Amino acid sequence: IAWFIVAELFSQGPRPAAMAVAGCMNWTCNFIIGMCFQYVAKACGPYVFIIFAGLLLGFTIFTHFKVPETKGRSFEEIQAEFRKKRRSPRAGSKPITEMEYLGSSTDA
């Protein structure tokens, strides 16, 4: 699932880095769960999957409220929705963008 979300939410430039981070986090979490499951199962007994159910409920709520619908929308429309949500509450401030200032080639 992480690869689908990353492919939909990032433009072509930062997509490879985002895919690398998503893949690394996915495998790291799988490793941690695999290493810790026997201890958690011993501590919780037959109720071990209640932890999973609680986390799943939390992630479902997060996804419902924070991850935008991307079906039939261009990347620019998705990016505009994120900009609209991330505006600073201060009066007169400009929206946060992916790259605030690059500068000219003489600044390097």
Side-chain angles (χ1 to χ4, degrees):
I1 302 250
W3 291 275
F4 295 124
I5 292 174
V6 169
E8 291 288 326
L9 296 182
F10 287 92
S11 65
Q12 198 64 18
R15 189 176 295 159
M19 293 287 274
V21 170
C24 181
M25 289 303 299
N26 184 17
W27 283 104
T28 301
C29 290
N30 286 337
F31 176 76
I32 291 169
I33 290 168
M35 295 303 291
C36 297
F37 183 77
Q38 63 182 344
Y39 304 113
V40 175
K42 185 185 265 186
C44 295
Y47 302 106
V48 68
F49 290 106
I50 289 179
I51 297 169
F52 171 74
L55 289 171
L56 186 62
L57 177 65
F59 292 139
T60 302
I61 291 169
F62 172 81
T63 302
H64 179 71
F65 289 110
K66 294 291 184 179
V67 179
E69 175 60 50
T70 60
K71 183 178 180 181
R73 297 173 67 192
S74 69
F75 175 74
E76 288 77 20
E77 292 170 336
I78 297 167
Q79 191 176 27
E81 184 174 336
F82 275 123
R83 267 198 222 110
K84 182 175 63 173
K85 287 182 179 179
R86 292 184 64 181
R87 286 186 190 256
S88 178
R90 291 180 283 153
S93 64
K94 64 179 183 173
I96 298 171
T97 59
E98 189 174 327
M99 301 173 84
E100 286 289 325
Y101 175 74
L102 290 177
S104 66
S105 60
T106 58
D107 292 341

